[in-house]
Amino acid sequence: MSQQEYASREFRRRIGASQVVVRCGADLELQAETLLDVVARCHEGGTALNDGATVELGDIPFTLRHVGGEVVVHEPDFKGSPPRDAVPGADQALRILYEQEAVVKRVGAKRSSAPLRALVRMEKSSLRSLRVCLRRMAPSDLRDSGWTIGASRDPAGPPEAIVMTTVSEIFRVRPWLGKVLTLPPGYRAVVDFHDIESIEADTGEHVWIIDPLMLAHLSRSALKERRLADLERTVNALLESTTTEIGSLRPLRQLARRWGGGPWMAYANALTALTRLKHDEDKAVEVRSLVEDLNTALSPGGGLAGEEAPFAITENFTTLYRNHWRVEAAEVLEGLLAPGSGQHAALLFQRAVLASDAGDHAGTVEALRRSVAIEPRSPTLWFLLGTALLEASTLEETPTVLLDPAGEIVEAFDRALTLLDVRDTLTVDHCVRALDHRYLGADWTLVDLLRKRTVALRDAGRLDEALASANRLVAAAPDEPRSWEILGTVLFELSRHDDVINAYSAAIGCSVQAPPEHSILARHFASPWYNRAAVYALLGQRAEAIADLRQALAVAPSWAEVVLFDERFKGLTADGELQRLVEEGRAAAQACQQQNLDDG
């Protein structure tokens, strides 16, 4: 993004009688508002907002200029030599302050002043090197920054090899070095072109490293010595060092902080890093050893045995999956499942999610079976198992998934119904709902359960139980057309045709809203008319059947594709009016499909 694009956003505030304007990139809104706060405090303290007045934020002076009746904030001209003049805008200065703050926060240091006019010692040889070392000593006087920059690991050449410059000159000739200049005395940094390689604290501790091998080694040492805070920090850094998608990893770091970190989060992050390095065996060796050490420590009998896996770690591979790192997500999950933990039920739900998204119905069922075996008191897990079994039972390619299809499906839904009153007391249920999945429907209701349970009982031929379940469904959701439709399907199986007509009529009476535009939703909306038409046809009531079918096809023309194959319409297949409606419906459906292609 260019400087002009960054400066296209204006942040304004009325301060006293003046309209103060800060121009910078939209991503610097917080910094711009902080600068406006500084201007406001200066005004409240008696400083007039005269043309040429200055305010300071983080060692950088900003100049106020009157332009077109407004007070426009100007920043130092960092490209000038020396940067005496001020130029409109505040983007570069605020970006410098943002990067400096990010560095000191990450290493856990306290910001130390580095004024633009402060002196910096620089080895002449470093002027020819893009990779330099910086060391800060305690300043000798007010004009001294304390910084020495050199090409060697410990910059301290002979006097004739040193030139004196200023912090502002560093921003002009080596702007990427500016981000470390507010580190405290005693700190050292190695910086190449744009990137920080490492930072050492005044204690000699490595607080910023991007080399995966070194980070893994430090993590193993922290684990061995039970320094869990250091373990979390170094493994987080390891995770960052193994991918360029830093923005995508931000949620993981936030979760680590929210849940207090701990060895399980470190284990999840180490597994993630390992999957990113799997094609680089040289770098993966030390990381693999770290993973094995953590695995051993967390397993029964290990030094960290008994540590519960926070549910937040499920977000680790969920984030990977959502960012299309699907193989890595599956590998991380399998690694997390290996050591053993009382939290496995939630992890296995996520394993079912991955299997469901991959179209692996057998894998979905297997993961949920394992999940309910761990937490058999969870109505949510039983409901999800029943849902997965019900879907798998309709697929020809998964007959071996079910030993007793009808029995197991009904049992799963019955267990969910029996345990319904404990749903909001189990941690695992809260977790699974928080990790809702659109296909598995983790955020389910009693109505969802009764619908699927009724269908399972009907398909199992247990019609009296299905009728009782359908009546309970209608009582629970009398205003939902789907409830009455399901009741109608059960009554049809019982050959109670008059009651079937009444049930579908009740469903139509509930459908008072306008038909949805989406073709699939429209088909569901028109379903009661279509099914009532089919029953009328079966009973030989031609006029009523044609009228309902006309209504169904007007809303959802795609129903025309199944009419002539529906056994219930067999007695009317020679009817010319029926044939004409079907042809009109097919033509309308084809026109709609073509329109969708044109729009796409």
Side-chain angles (χ1 to χ4, degrees):
M1 188 177 288
S2 68
Q3 178 77 11
Q4 289 181 342
E5 290 174 312
Y6 277 136
S8 61
R9 180 74 186 275
E10 292 186 346
F11 299 91
R12 297 170 171 270
R13 187 184 300 181
R14 174 68 63 176
I15 300 177
S18 303
Q19 182 77 8
V20 182
V21 181
V22 175
R23 296 191 179 102
C24 62
D27 60 320
L28 295 171
E29 179 178 1
L30 179 61
Q31 288 70 30
E33 294 297 337
T34 301
L35 179 54
L36 288 170
D37 290 341
V38 171
V39 176
R41 285 197 296 271
C42 289
H43 174 71
E44 292 167 1
T47 301
L49 305 183
N50 297 328
D51 186 61
T54 61
V55 297
E56 189 170 289
L57 176 63
D59 300 325
I60 296 181
F62 293 86
T63 304
L64 308 181
R65 296 290 189 194
H66 290 202
V67 180
E70 298 178 326
V71 177
V72 178
V73 176
H74 286 50
E75 67 182 358
D77 180 11
F78 290 101
K79 296 181 180 179
S81 181
R84 281 179 256 199
D85 296 329
V87 295
D91 189 87
Q92 186 173 355
L94 292 180
R95 204 163 294 283
I96 288 169
L97 294 174
Y98 170 78
E99 291 178 343
Q100 289 177 339
E101 185 69 16
V103 169
V104 294
K105 279 188 174 181
R106 173 168 168 177
V107 302
K110 185 177 180 180
R111 180 187 178 95
S112 183
S113 178
L116 295 183
R117 294 185 179 181
L119 295 174
V120 176
R121 298 170 181 82
M122 176 178 283
E123 290 181 358
K124 294 179 182 179
S125 59
S126 66
L127 295 173
R128 299 185 297 273
S129 176
L130 292 179
R131 181 181 183 276
V132 298
C133 304
L134 300 91
R135 182 186 65 186
R136 192 172 198 183
M137 306 297 289
S140 58
D141 55 52
L142 293 178
R143 289 201 60 202
D144 182 18
S145 71
W147 281 108
T148 301
I149 301 175
S152 61
R153 182 66 187 85
D154 192 11
E160 62 272 14
I162 300 292
V163 294
M164 300 299 293
T165 185
T166 62
V167 170
S168 62
E169 185 68 4
I170 296 298
F171 284 127
R172 187 180 74 84
V173 298
R174 293 286 191 275
W176 56 90
L177 300 180
K179 63 184 74 175
V180 303
L181 293 183
T182 53
L183 289 170
Y187 276 69
R188 305 169 187 236
V190 178
V191 183
D192 65 11
F193 188 66
H194 295 306
D195 291 323
I196 300 175
E197 279 191 17
S198 65
I199 296 176
E200 292 179 23
D202 52 358
T203 60
E205 178 190 8
H206 292 271
V207 292
W208 184 308
I209 304 172
I210 63 171
D211 176 28
L213 294 176
M214 177 61 74
L215 287 166
H217 176 73
L218 294 173
S219 299
R220 293 180 69 191
S221 297
L223 174 62
K224 183 178 180 180
E225 298 169 13
R226 296 295 184 265
R227 292 182 283 109
L228 298 186
D230 290 341
L231 173 67
E232 177 194 345
R233 180 176 55 77
T234 53
V235 177
N236 279 340
L238 170 65
L239 180 62
E240 289 185 12
S241 73
T242 56
T243 179
T244 58
E245 296 91 341
I246 298 300
S248 301
L249 296 174
R250 189 170 293 113
L252 305 184
R253 296 196 297 276
Q254 291 173 345
L255 282 164
R257 287 193 296 272
R258 185 187 311 163
W259 285 79
W264 273 99
M265 182 61 77
Y267 181 47
N269 288 350
L271 277 164
T272 306
L274 181 60
T275 64
R276 304 303 289 164
L277 289 171
K278 61 186 177 182
H279 299 303
D280 191 338
E281 186 61 29
D282 291 339
K283 290 183 178 179
V285 171
E286 188 72 16
V287 182
R288 186 174 292 107
S289 297
L290 169 63
V291 167
E292 292 172 355
D293 290 348
L294 280 163
N295 190 321
T296 300
L298 289 164
S299 297
L304 297 175
E307 287 274 355
E308 287 295 320
F311 283 120
I313 62 176
T314 61
E315 283 290 348
N316 186 288
F317 65 86
T318 301
T319 300
L320 289 172
Y321 190 82
R322 288 170 182 165
N323 284 283
H324 306 292
W325 303 341
R326 304 200 169 179
V327 174
E328 290 85 344
E331 291 177 359
V332 169
L333 178 58
E334 291 306 318
L336 289 169
L337 290 174
S341 164
Q343 308 289 0
H344 272 184
L347 293 176
L348 284 163
F349 163 72
Q350 286 295 73
R351 183 69 188 89
V353 167
L354 294 178
S356 176
D357 281 352
D360 179 8
H361 298 283
T364 304
V365 170
E366 178 60 24
L368 289 170
R369 279 175 173 157
R370 291 170 62 192
S371 188
V372 295
I374 293 171
E375 183 46 274
R377 298 178 304 135
S378 167
T380 294
L381 293 175
W382 283 110
F383 170 78
L384 295 172
L385 175 59
T387 299
L389 289 167
L390 188 62
E391 182 176 353
S393 68
T394 64
L395 302 172
E396 294 182 0
E397 67 269 22
T398 57
T400 58
V401 170
L402 307 174
L403 300 177
D404 176 16
E408 189 176 6
I409 296 170
V410 172
E411 180 189 1
F413 288 132
D414 283 348
R415 292 286 292 271
L417 192 60
T418 302
L419 295 165
L420 193 62
D421 60 337
V422 303
R423 182 184 183 205
D424 290 325
T425 65
L426 295 179
T427 305
V428 68
D429 277 41
H430 286 287
C431 174
V432 172
R433 286 207 299 275
L435 299 170
D436 193 9
H437 185 255
R438 58 180 177 173
Y439 295 128
L440 293 180
D443 193 14
W444 57 284
T445 65
L446 173 62
V447 172
D448 296 322
L449 172 57
L450 290 173
R451 283 177 185 161
K452 295 184 177 184
R453 179 174 179 268
T454 302
V455 171
L457 287 166
R458 182 201 64 194
D459 293 348
R462 295 160 61 173
L463 297 181
D464 290 339
E465 295 174 80
L467 181 59
S469 184
N471 284 325
R472 184 173 178 182
L473 169 62
V474 168
D479 297 327
E480 293 189 17
R482 185 66 180 142
S483 301
W484 291 100
E485 271 202 276
I486 291 175
L487 173 60
T489 64
V490 176
L491 290 168
F492 184 83
E493 293 292 333
L494 290 167
S495 300
R496 292 169 52 176
H497 294 149
D498 289 341
D499 291 333
V500 174
I501 295 294
N502 292 334
Y504 287 135
S505 297
I508 291 170
C510 295
S511 303
V512 294
Q513 73 274 32
E517 294 183 1
H518 193 284
S519 60
I520 295 178
L521 298 179
R523 188 180 174 100
H524 288 307
F525 183 87
S527 177
W529 278 276
Y530 175 85
N531 282 309
R532 192 173 70 173
V535 177
Y536 278 136
L538 191 65
L539 295 175
Q541 297 177 234
R542 175 192 175 280
E544 291 84 352
I546 294 296
D548 274 3
L549 187 59
R550 180 179 290 110
Q551 179 67 34
L553 295 180
V555 174
S558 62
W559 273 116
E561 296 298 329
V562 299
V563 172
L564 299 181
F565 300 97
D566 192 327
E567 287 292 323
R568 294 174 296 178
F569 286 101
K570 187 176 181 179
L572 296 180
T573 52
D575 190 293
E577 182 70 6
L578 180 70
Q579 294 284 351
R580 187 177 65 80
L581 284 176
V582 170
E583 291 304 320
E584 289 177 354
R586 286 175 173 171
Q590 290 173 359
C592 182
Q593 185 178 17
Q594 185 59 49
Q595 182 63 45
N596 290 336
L597 290 174
D598 293 342
D599 292 343

